[in-house]
Amino acid sequence: MPAGRDLAQLPKAHVHLHLDGAMRRGTLAELAEAAGIEAPLPRGYGSFAAFMETITAAARCLRTAADTERLVSEVVEDAGRAGAVWVEPSMWPGLFDGRLGSAAEAVDVVLAAGHDAARRHGVGFGLIVAANRDRGPAEALAMARLASSRAVDGVVGFGLDGDETAAPGSWFAEAFAVARDAGLRVVPHAGELAGPESVREALDVLGVDRIMHGVRAADDPELVERLAERGIPLDVCPTSNVMLSVVPSMDRHPLPALLAAGVRCSINADDPLLFETDLSAEYEIARTELGLTDVQLAAVAGTSLRHSGAPRDLVDRALSGIDAWLRGPMA
Ligand SMILES: [Zn+2]
């Protein structure tokens, strides 16, 4: 195993993480038992649809505000354990299916729980509200308006989840314009289930600040160059990409090539519950299986912070911490 500094001590932000997919396994088992339903068994996924079925079943175990507050608190605590000083999970309010009241009420429960957990665990918290491609542009517009109305309360970004092959980004241009006008970071999923054309559309039509995944841009050298030139980061999730067959195997993951081409990338866990991973494991994999050096890992951590919704003073402190980490001893 390559030697290196302690990755848990490297200040970083976790910026591509779905709230429901970040539930601890033990918490899912307890909540499922309390709900009297069988806990969905996370395992290998033959398709995106099978993956969505499992995540929807897990979300169904969240029945009350207290369940959700527990989830959010544990997500913030887990981020801190991995050395994150900022966590920015994403939620599509529809996953709660009215169990916490309206979509706005669900967002407010999560925001209050996030701020409370941030104080207790010493980890900054922001929220991404996401629309779902499968629900079409009208619902996306409502989600964008909701996200924008909570910008002062801690919503920092607007995302786009769901099946990328089912609905092109262009359908959601109006929703993204609303979110951009409200000063939110625009962070859709693209270049995961669909190829470079989807990333190009995100750049041209949605006006993105970051792209969730985006790794399939690696198939198109001109697009890679454009991402590098414009400094648009990709929020990369290596294990997720292997488990959903976005890449054929970890040793063929394009993260090292993207970094070598000058594309800014962050490293994230996506859905730790479903992919049996966490933020620490993803950084370790980047070191041990993808061969990233400590200098590259420090740059990745810097990208995760600079392009997050974290306040400037938190980012500056963390960047100083990254410099100190690099000056520190190898393990
Ligand atoms: Zn994702």
Side-chain angles (χ1 to χ4, degrees):
M1 182 182 294
R5 296 163 184 84
D6 181 358
L7 288 168
Q9 299 299 320
L10 172 64
K12 55 182 84 65
H14 200 179
V15 295
H16 184 168
L17 174 74
H18 300 274
L19 202 52
D20 36 294
M23 206 183 302
R24 291 178 186 167
R25 209 158 260 236
T27 299
L28 174 63
E30 281 178 38
L31 293 181
E33 195 184 348
I37 52 184
E38 201 176 327
L41 272 185
R43 57 180 174 272
Y45 307 99
S47 68
F48 186 71
F51 160 78
M52 276 310 296
E53 254 171 50
T54 309
I55 201 164
T56 304
R60 227 175 273 133
C61 299
L62 294 164
R63 291 178 306 157
T64 65
D67 295 343
T68 305
E69 285 155 7
R70 173 180 175 178
L71 165 67
V72 173
S73 179
E74 290 176 353
V75 164
V76 173
E77 187 179 9
D78 290 347
R81 277 210 191 112
V85 296
W86 175 261
V87 61
E88 190 174 301
S90 158
M91 73 179 280
W92 170 56
L95 261 184
F96 289 93
D97 201 20
R99 291 187 300 279
L100 296 180
S102 66
E105 285 165 330
V107 167
D108 289 341
V109 166
V110 170
L111 280 172
H115 295 315
D116 177 61
R119 275 190 296 276
R120 283 185 288 107
H121 297 296
V123 176
F125 175 88
L127 183 65
I128 295 168
V129 171
N132 186 335
R133 287 180 192 256
D134 309 274
R135 297 299 182 105
E139 191 197 272
L141 186 57
M143 290 300 125
R145 290 190 175 127
L146 168 58
S148 302
S149 74
R150 298 304 193 270
V152 289
D153 302 313
V155 171
V156 295
F158 181 61
L160 184 60
D161 300 352
D163 186 350
E164 200 184 336
T165 60
S170 57
W171 290 8
F172 306 97
E174 190 183 356
F176 276 80
V178 166
R180 277 200 315 274
D181 286 349
L184 298 178
R185 278 168 201 273
V186 165
V187 294
H189 283 59
E192 179 197 19
L193 306 174
E197 68 286 353
S198 176
V199 174
R200 213 173 278 117
E201 187 175 49
L203 289 172
D204 294 338
V205 181
L206 303 182
V208 295
D209 293 285
R210 308 192 312 252
I211 295 176
M212 299 272 187
H213 295 299
V215 290
R216 289 189 57 193
D219 299 340
D220 181 336
E222 184 272 330
L223 181 58
V224 168
E225 206 173 299
R226 210 171 140 204
L227 286 167
E229 267 171 21
R230 288 193 48 190
I232 302 284
L234 306 182
D235 297 327
V236 175
C237 309
T239 298
S240 164
N241 292 158
V242 173
M243 291 199 70
L244 287 177
S245 304
V246 174
V247 299
S249 58
M250 193 58 84
D251 60 356
R252 291 175 63 188
H253 197 284
L255 176 60
L258 288 164
L259 289 172
V263 178
R264 297 177 193 182
C265 296
S266 64
I267 291 174
N268 307 273
D270 205 2
D271 296 288
L273 169 70
L274 304 178
F275 302 131
E276 302 191 80
T277 187
D278 59 28
L279 185 59
S280 297
E282 295 301 297
Y283 269 78
E284 288 291 347
I285 285 167
R287 170 185 274 167
T288 57
E289 297 191 44
L290 301 178
L292 266 59
T293 64
D294 280 5
V295 170
Q296 286 177 306
L297 291 163
V300 161
T303 293
S304 73
L305 287 154
R306 278 193 195 92
H307 297 270
S308 74
R312 195 66 245 173
D313 58 333
L314 185 152
V315 173
D316 287 344
R317 263 198 319 278
L319 293 177
S320 301
I322 291 175
D323 289 343
W325 183 81
L326 269 181
R327 286 195 304 272
M330 306 280 275

